[in-house]
Amino acid sequence: MRKVKKSKPLVVCNVCGMFSNERQDINHRCTRAVYGRRCSGSFKSSLGMSWDECLSCSTTGTLGSETCVECAGWGWRLVG
Ligand SMILES: [Zn+2]
Ligand SMILES: [Zn+2]
């Protein structure tokens, strides 16, 4: 199977850093629940943010048949 580089996540939570590729999530409340409590953040467009390609998986999000743990399968990590 040919490995394809992932494109950057479109949307990022400004509190927990959760990624999403749903453009409709922009400016909506984050959906992640941490320890049973809803995250208080909201999703922001990832445009203008600084991204690093994940070196562990070469931006593919997978290592062999496993999901890359470094980037949680996204292939990208926020700088900082
Ligand atoms: Zn969040
Ligand atoms: Zn990775």
Side-chain angles (χ1 to χ4, degrees), residues 3-6 54 57-63 73-75:
K3 289 230 168 184
V4 182
K5 282 196 172 193
K6 296 245 181 196
C54 179
C57 62
S58 305
T59 330
T60 60
T62 52
L63 289 168
W74 286 95

Side-chain angles (χ1 to χ4, degrees), residues 1-78:
M1 202 171 92
R2 199 167 68 93
K3 289 230 168 184
V4 182
K5 282 196 172 193
K6 296 245 181 196
S7 49
K8 294 173 193 169
L10 290 173
V11 184
V12 184
C13 173
N14 64 347
V15 171
C16 70
M18 183 173 131
F19 299 154
S20 170
N21 271 331
E22 303 295 326
R23 205 179 289 273
Q24 66 201 24
D25 281 347
I26 292 174
N27 293 326
H28 283 242
R29 184 104 180 265
C30 177
T31 52
R32 179 182 264 182
V34 184
Y35 303 116
R37 296 181 59 172
R38 185 98 177 266
C39 173
S40 61
S42 55
F43 289 117
K44 301 293 175 193
S45 169
S46 69
L47 290 175
M49 294 184 184
S50 301
W51 294 91
D52 264 341
E53 297 189 25
C54 179
L55 299 177
S56 301
C57 62
S58 305
T59 330
T60 60
T62 52
L63 289 168
S65 58
E66 305 280 311
T67 300
C68 175
V69 293
E70 296 290 322
C71 61
W74 286 95
W76 291 90
R77 295 148 56 130
L78 276 174

